[in-house]
Amino acid sequence: MILHFNYEELTALRSGARVFLEREEPGRGVVLAPAAERDRVEALLPKLNGDISLSTLAEVRSVEAAVRVIVECLRIDMESLVVTTHAADEEAVAAYFDFAHGLSVAHRLGEMASEMETLIELVSGTSPTAEAVTSFQFPD
């Protein structure tokens, strides 16, 4: 299955991923996110240059987890800018749109995962097993 992005979504997610990774650099005196979150965001960042082909439910879930981490980072930035500047400040408004674009992608990924789970259940007759999540292939 192909996850389609528009320019604004890609730009927002790339920016949010970079901010997240910069904040989470070891030795910067901040509380580090779990290593799995950092690894997922690091793995996703190079792919954020166009549409992404996701062939298993496991891949979708991994990308979805990374996008949710990025969206949370964008949400925190948006809220900080609104509080420190003004709700109508140009930077706050831009931060809102970045957050909203990321949230839209996270929502589409959730729908994609749900559709994949339903198809696996329909074909196999049971809820997706750990094996089916990684081996059941979905064509583009």
Side-chain angles (χ1 to χ4, degrees), residues 25-108:
E25 283 180 1
R28 290 196 52 161
V30 295
V31 177
L32 295 177
E37 287 183 357
R38 183 173 178 79
D39 292 345
R40 284 187 185 113
V41 172
E42 284 177 340
L44 178 61
L45 186 55
K47 296 176 185 176
L48 292 175
N49 55 15
D51 296 340
I52 300 175
S53 176
L54 302 165
S55 59
T56 67
L57 179 53
E59 289 176 330
V60 171
R61 286 180 176 166
S62 180
V63 170
E64 181 181 21
V67 168
R68 291 210 179 277
V69 167
I70 295 167
V71 168
E72 179 62 14
C73 183
L74 292 169
R75 183 192 62 77
I76 290 168
D77 282 355
M78 174 193 63
E79 289 178 356
S80 295
L81 283 166
V82 166
V83 170
T84 58
T85 61
H86 183 274
D89 182 82
E90 188 175 332
E91 286 184 39
V93 172
Y96 161 76
F97 280 107
D98 284 349
F99 167 73
H101 288 302
L103 187 62
S104 295
V105 173
H107 180 74
R108 285 200 313 273

Side-chain angles (χ1 to χ4, degrees), residues 1 4 6-7 14 18 37 45 51 85 109 113-115:
M1 297 184 88
H4 298 282
N6 64 37
Y7 174 79
R14 275 194 306 262
R18 287 188 198 109
E37 287 183 357
L45 186 55
D51 296 340
T85 61
L109 280 162
S114 179
E115 289 172 7

